[in-house]
């Protein structure tokens, strides 16, 4: 008689090295106890490397992974290509209708769900209440960018190792360009006009990038051009940032006394605007999808269902408390009176609901996406532009040169791809 190990299916799961995903791996005994016939093999990677590996694998039908952690950008593009399986076997008690509509919409194609959200996020301001008070300022719930810039400079205390603000500088379409594209929306900039002509030669982009570089030079950490989400999270937890504008999902980590030295001194506010009617907050979900090339499709959907279910949220709450539950995915979570006590819960939901991927900018645009442009070419183009803007932050080129080169490369790529006639 064959042993159960011989019959077990092994799922290879590619995921990102963010705190919520690391926590999930530590809780998978719950899954394997319920499904002893399924073994899990984890491939955990830094954000930029994960994106590169899974994109290469799925485009070449490499078949390395049974479950992929991908985002709101990839899902509709890959579903259209036939690269993902629709998630139509998540189980009777999964409750797809409970997924927050803004999140579910970004993970669907032609009315079918192609990825299940592990956590959903927008972006907002996390700030040190003690340093804000020391600077003689009061953070409004809906600050302007001018207020943020002024506060950052006043909160900076280089002698004591405190930077007024920490912002992403690491190159990547989902790293510095996620922040800068969302920021540019608030400044009235856009990637392309209605004829798909790049707009980096316009004053709004100059204002966006110059304001960012100047502020980071005066109030940001040294070596900021190497800092992405995880690096800034560590700086904030160590008490080295007065403010950090980034993913709402970070709130549970900066407010957790086990990890954060400033856990009892953190406040939250909406992403800033400039008075033009758009806030610089994005919309994203790290999600689990099943590539069409997997040989373990049923087992893969079984795992996806477990990891993104209501029961998983309750599991995390029982082990780690409600504040550490993956946020931003289910309406029922925000109707839960226990979760309502979490100080950042309402601000997270308000930020998610305020982001509109169909109208991301002040002026009309031909694309969908708040912190990205939902076309296949954006992945490569966004990373190239991100490298230029990161170099400007590092002082390796001027803002004007970075923008001129961005305009040139974007025009060339969009012409080659047939968008510009």
């Amino acid at each position: 008689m064959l042993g159960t190990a011989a019959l077990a299916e092994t799922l290879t799961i590619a995921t990102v090295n963010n705190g919520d995903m690391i926590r999930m791996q530590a809780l998978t005994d719950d899954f394997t106890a319920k499904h002893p016939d399924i073994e899990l093999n984890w491939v955990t990677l830094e954000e930029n490397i994960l994106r590169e590996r899974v994109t290469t694998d799925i485009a070449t039908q490499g078949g390395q992974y049974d479950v992929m952690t991908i985002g709101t950008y990839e899902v509709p593009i890959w579903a259209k290509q036939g690269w993902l399986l629709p998630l139509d076997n998540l189980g009777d008690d999964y409750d797809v209708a409970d997924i927050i509509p803004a999140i579910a919409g970004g993970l669907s194609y032609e009315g079918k769900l192609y990825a299940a959200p592990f956590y959903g996020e927008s972006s907002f301001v996390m700030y040190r209440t003690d340093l804000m008070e020391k600077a003689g300022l009061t953070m409004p719930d809906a600050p302007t960018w001018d207020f943020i810039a002024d506060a950052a400079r006043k909160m900076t205390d280089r002698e004591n190792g405190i930077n007024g603000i920490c912002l992403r500088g690491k190159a990547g379409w989902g790293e510095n360009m996620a922040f800068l594209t969302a920021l540019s929306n608030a400044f009235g900039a856009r990637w392309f006009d209605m004829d798909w002509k790049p707009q980096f030669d316009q004053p709004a982009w100059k204002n966006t990038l110059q304001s960012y570089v100047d502020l980071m030079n005066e109030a940001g950490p040294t070596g900021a051009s190497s800092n992405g989400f995880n690096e800034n999270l560590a700086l904030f937890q160590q008490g080295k940032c007065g403010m950090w504008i980034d993913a709402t999902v970070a709130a549970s980590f900066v407010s957790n006394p086990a990890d954060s030295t400033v856990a009892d001194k953190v406040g939250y506010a909406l992403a800033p605007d400039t008075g033009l009617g758009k806030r610089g907050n994005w919309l994203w979900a790290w999600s689990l999808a099943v590539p069409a090339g997997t040989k373990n499709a049923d087992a893969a959907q079984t795992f996806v269902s477990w990891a993104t279910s209501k029961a998983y949220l309750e599991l995390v709450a029982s082990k780690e408390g409600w504040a550490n539950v993956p946020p931003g995915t289910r309406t029922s979570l925000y109707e839960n009176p226990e979760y309502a006590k979490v100080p950042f819960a309402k601000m997270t939901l308000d930020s998610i609901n305020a982001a509109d991927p169909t109208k991301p900018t002040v002026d009309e645009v031909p694309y969908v996406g708040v912190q990205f442009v939902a076309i296949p070419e954006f992945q490569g183009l966004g990373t190239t532009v991100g490298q230029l803007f990161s170099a400007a932050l590092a002082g390796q080129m001027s803002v004007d040169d970075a923008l001129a080169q961005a305009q040139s490369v974007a025009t060339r790529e969009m012409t080659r791809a047939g968008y510009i006639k």
Side-chain angles (χ1 to χ4, degrees):
M1 180 176 164
L2 290 172
T4 53
L7 296 171
E9 289 181 89
T10 299
L11 294 179
T12 299
I13 304 167
T15 195
V16 66
N17 65 341
N18 290 353
D20 283 290
M21 305 304 191
I22 303 296
R23 182 181 287 132
M24 174 176 62
Q25 291 173 49
L27 295 174
T28 49
D29 283 352
D30 179 83
F31 175 80
T32 51
K34 292 170 180 168
H35 304 281
D37 56 333
I38 302 175
E39 296 178 355
L40 305 178
N41 174 38
W42 293 93
V43 179
T44 308
L45 301 165
E46 186 270 329
E47 192 167 315
N48 285 341
I49 296 169
L50 172 77
R51 289 189 164 113
E52 188 179 304
R53 296 263 179 93
V54 298
T55 301
T56 299
D57 186 69
I58 204 159
T60 60
Q61 299 179 322
Q64 286 187 58
Y65 311 112
D66 301 295
V67 177
M68 292 177 164
T69 305
I70 60 177
T72 309
Y73 165 73
E74 292 97 342
V75 176
I77 294 173
W78 291 5
K80 184 179 180 181
Q81 298 277 4
W83 292 350
L84 302 176
L85 295 179
L87 299 181
D88 48 18
N89 192 24
L90 293 172
D92 295 338
D93 59 351
Y94 184 78
D95 195 1
V96 171
D98 187 45
I99 298 173
I100 292 171
I103 298 294
L107 303 177
S108 300
Y109 175 68
E110 293 187 341
K112 288 185 178 180
L113 193 71
Y114 279 85
F118 184 71
Y119 65 78
E121 65 181 34
S122 185
S123 51
F124 62 7
V125 184
M126 294 160 277
Y127 66 94
R128 288 273 299 278
T129 53
D130 57 330
L131 296 181
M132 190 66 69
E133 188 177 342
K134 185 178 175 185
L137 299 168
T138 301
M139 174 71 81
D141 283 344
T144 64
W145 189 249
D146 284 344
F147 175 90
I148 294 293
D150 179 57
R153 291 177 170 98
K154 287 177 178 171
M155 293 163 85
T156 299
D157 183 356
R158 301 278 198 218
E159 288 184 10
N160 290 303
I162 295 172
N163 308 286
I165 196 161
C166 294
L167 301 171
R168 297 187 188 195
K170 180 188 283 187
W173 71 264
E175 277 282 10
N176 67 334
M177 291 315 298
F179 175 78
L180 284 168
T181 300
L183 175 65
S184 76
N185 295 338
F187 273 74
R190 51 187 176 163
W191 270 77
F192 305 107
D193 68 10
M194 290 301 290
D195 296 318
W196 291 101
K197 290 177 180 167
Q199 298 294 291
F200 295 109
D201 58 354
Q202 297 302 304
W205 260 111
K206 166 73 184 239
N207 193 13
T208 301
L209 191 58
Q210 193 70 61
S211 298
Y212 162 80
V213 169
D214 290 348
L215 180 61
M216 291 295 282
N217 285 337
E218 294 171 38
T222 55
S225 61
S226 299
N227 294 346
F229 174 84
N230 283 330
E231 292 81 7
N232 284 326
L233 171 60
L235 286 170
F236 195 96
Q237 289 177 322
Q238 293 159 12
K240 295 180 178 177
C241 305
M243 290 179 289
W244 179 30
I245 304 173
D246 212 298
T248 51
V249 73
S252 70
F253 299 105
V254 299
S255 62
N256 187 343
D259 303 313
S260 175
T261 62
V262 296
D264 60 341
K265 305 180 181 71
V266 186
Y268 309 94
L270 293 174
D273 67 5
T274 65
L276 297 177
K278 289 290 176 185
R279 295 201 169 272
N281 59 302
W282 64 63
L283 185 68
W284 184 257
W286 275 119
S287 304
L288 301 178
V290 179
T294 179
K295 295 179 174 64
N296 303 307
D298 289 343
Q301 289 211 41
T302 299
F303 176 79
V304 170
S305 177
W306 171 83
T308 62
S309 65
K310 294 179 187 178
Y312 178 79
L313 301 183
E314 290 167 6
L315 175 66
V316 176
S318 70
K319 303 277 188 184
E320 311 252 357
W322 281 105
N324 292 309
V325 165
T329 61
R330 289 185 171 270
T331 301
S332 57
L333 179 64
Y334 291 89
E335 294 169 347
N336 183 321
E338 289 302 309
Y339 194 71
K341 297 173 187 174
V342 173
F344 49 81
K346 185 178 185 302
M347 189 69 75
T348 295
L349 185 62
D350 287 348
S351 297
I352 287 171
N353 287 334
D356 184 355
T358 65
K359 296 177 182 173
T361 57
V362 175
D363 294 326
E364 196 177 2
V365 289
Y367 54 84
V368 171
V370 180
Q371 79 279 22
F372 58 81
V373 178
I375 57 173
E377 294 77 14
F378 182 76
Q379 189 161 353
L381 182 57
T383 294
T384 300
V385 173
Q387 289 164 347
L388 294 168
F389 290 178
S390 189
L393 177 61
Q396 295 164 356
M397 68 170 64
S398 70
V399 166
D400 286 343
D401 283 348
L403 288 167
Q405 289 191 41
Q407 180 70 14
S408 176
V409 71
T411 301
R412 185 175 68 244
E413 289 302 314
M414 295 304 281
T415 302
R416 181 184 298 165
Y419 290 85
I420 299 174
K421 302 293 186 264

